[in-house]
Amino acid sequence: MSSQDKSEVPEEHLPEVHASAHVPAEGDPFADPGLPAHEPRVTDIDEKAAKRAERQVAFLFVISMLSTIGFIWAYVGIDKRRIIDIFFFGKIGAQNLALGGFLGLALFCIGAGAIHWARTLMTDEEIVQERHEFTSDPETREYAIREFTQGAADSVIGRRPLIRRTMIGAMALVPLSGVVLLRDLGPLPGTKLRHTDWKPGVELINEATGLPIKPDDIVKGSLTMVLPDGLVEKYGPAGQKEELSHGWLEKAGMSAVLVVRLEPEDIKSKKELAWGYEGIVAYSKICTHVGCPIGLYEQQTHHLLCPCHQSTFDLADDGKVVFGPAARSLPQLKIHVNEAGNLAATQDFTEPVGASFWERG
Ligand code: FES
């Protein structure tokens, strides 16, 4: 601000020097620098500028109001199935675009108006608020101690050690009730999550037909979902034991397996080859990321894709993760052909199925 300008500034808007800036405490090597001198803004000294700022703030608020009306119009007036093609962004739902745009503009204008208002018109004087002592004054402390001592004397707790000790015991034990209630968060899973209904000799049952599977039923390129024999009868929705049917999803989720046929020479891992039957291999259907059911198989690459977060597993290489957030391979189920010529499990899975979360415990 020039000296010419300063001569036109009203007295009350001239910069003032805070007294605290010049009063260093005696013996204090670090003098309080105080606050910088207050500089008036152009809107403090020029009524025209203040009016202009007022109109700008009001303009932003009016834009916000119109945007809100636009939002309501977009909600009722734009067909939600209408798609528009926007350069760079591609195809977008017109209603969603309008709703987001209007709401964003309405909120932005309220924020921008409030900031502009605060920076141009609200008082901007620096204010000092002195911190108070946190401790009470000596009289108050003395009073509290006196009251406490008097209360203790009135309760005769000093002369009644039996009451004192039992009361301390009661107060120490009462939080245990809350600890015991934590048990209701259980029962603890124990090793339940490490085992499925696959056991040695349990046949693979086609989930679609409900029948056992023979090796010739598995054709190259197809994906067959199977469950352990007996699972549907025991836990299925149409199971005879009604009280058990609520465990169906949990059981089916744990034990669901996908069976595919690969060319034996395409299988890179000896262990995978040995755990299958002439190129037929069985893997858990449950993604090791967070447990979605997997169902997309790419025959050429032997990749299995989880639709939830795109984890991709290589079925020709021990079910290893080749892409995505999953942290470990899909567990393989060891299978063989039994005397009846049906595919059957040789053993349970040797590692937990489903989300890797369980392994971190
Ligand atoms: S659950 Fe499969 S990738 Fe996330």
Side-chain angles (χ1 to χ4, degrees):
M1 187 182 294
S2 68
S3 55
Q4 175 68 30
D5 289 335
K6 274 186 180 168
S7 64
E8 296 164 4
V9 176
E11 186 72 18
E12 65 272 22
H13 290 308
L14 282 174
E16 78 183 57
V17 178
H18 290 260
S20 62
H22 299 284
V23 189
E26 201 175 327
D28 184 354
F30 304 103
D32 178 0
L35 294 172
H38 178 69
E39 291 280 352
R41 299 159 301 186
V42 67
T43 47
D44 291 331
I45 56 179
D46 181 350
E47 187 52 29
K48 268 193 195 157
K51 278 276 175 209
R52 191 166 53 243
E54 184 183 358
R55 283 195 297 275
Q56 288 164 345
V57 172
F59 177 73
L60 286 166
F61 288 157
V62 169
I63 296 284
S64 175
M65 286 189 258
L66 293 176
S67 299
T68 301
I69 292 168
F71 179 91
I72 296 167
W73 167 78
Y75 187 76
V76 295
I78 300 181
D79 185 349
K80 64 176 142 194
R81 287 161 302 183
R82 191 170 155 206
I83 303 292
I84 52 173
D85 202 348
I86 296 188
F87 173 69
F88 186 72
F89 291 104
K91 294 192 186 322
I92 296 179
Q95 192 191 48
N96 279 346
L97 183 67
L99 289 174
F102 280 127
L103 184 60
L105 188 61
L107 295 173
F108 173 80
C109 286
I110 289 176
I115 291 170
H116 194 45
W117 179 12
R119 292 184 64 86
T120 55
L121 297 170
M122 287 186 193
T123 304
D124 73 336
E125 293 273 353
E126 292 82 1
I127 296 169
V128 176
Q129 185 177 20
E130 297 293 345
R131 230 191 270 162
H132 299 287
E133 284 278 342
F134 286 121
T135 52
S136 311
D137 57 66
E139 293 80 33
T140 307
R141 277 184 277 163
E142 200 179 298
Y143 172 77
I145 291 169
R146 202 170 52 239
E147 285 294 300
F148 180 80
T149 312
Q150 183 62 45
D154 291 349
S155 69
V156 296
I157 198 166
R159 288 191 290 121
R160 303 288 177 197
L162 184 61
I163 291 178
R164 189 174 66 241
R165 287 177 196 140
T166 49
M167 183 189 73
I168 291 171
M171 291 176 73
L173 286 186
V174 84
L176 284 183
S177 313
V179 176
V180 171
L181 287 180
L182 292 177
R183 179 86 177 105
D184 279 356
L185 296 174
L188 296 173
T191 59
K192 199 169 79 177
L193 297 167
R194 297 193 165 266
H195 301 291
T196 68
D197 278 66
W198 293 107
K199 308 258 176 339
V202 171
E203 290 187 338
L204 279 61
I205 300 296
N206 188 321
E207 196 250 355
T209 63
L211 298 172
I213 299 177
K214 298 195 184 301
D216 288 347
D217 296 339
I218 309 293
V219 293
K220 203 162 159 262
S222 71
L223 198 60
T224 307
M225 182 178 149
V226 301
L227 290 169
D229 186 20
L231 192 81
V232 175
E233 291 74 16
K234 195 170 172 191
Y235 298 103
Q240 295 155 352
K241 295 191 175 181
E242 194 57 39
E243 71 274 16
L244 293 179
S245 63
H246 70 274
W248 163 246
L249 281 180
E250 187 188 329
K251 288 286 180 184
M254 289 281 287
S255 303
V257 160
L258 295 171
V259 179
V260 293
R261 179 188 281 278
L262 308 175
E263 293 296 347
E265 55 272 22
D266 287 344
I267 298 178
K268 298 175 194 151
S269 150
K270 281 191 188 152
K271 174 239 167 188
E272 174 173 354
L273 196 57
W275 281 31
Y277 178 79
E278 295 180 352
I280 297 173
V281 290
Y283 279 93
S284 167
K285 183 182 165 66
I286 309 303
C287 181
T288 56
H289 178 218
V290 289
C292 282
I294 304 174
L296 303 171
Y297 178 54
E298 216 289 303
Q299 181 187 348
Q300 301 298 323
T301 58
H302 315 119
H303 287 173
L304 202 54
L305 176 78
C306 175
C308 286
H309 314 99
Q310 282 69 55
S311 284
T312 308
F313 304 88
D314 187 355
L315 290 198
D317 191 10
D318 276 336
K320 283 187 185 142
V321 182
V322 292
F323 179 78
R328 68 184 170 92
S329 308
L330 272 186
Q332 186 182 0
L333 182 69
K334 190 173 183 185
I335 55 172
H336 65 279
V337 172
N338 64 14
E339 288 171 357
N342 298 328
L343 291 173
T346 306
Q347 60 191 25
D348 192 1
F349 286 103
T350 55
E351 55 188 310
V353 299
S356 304
F357 167 79
W358 298 114
E359 290 189 318
R360 296 193 204 127

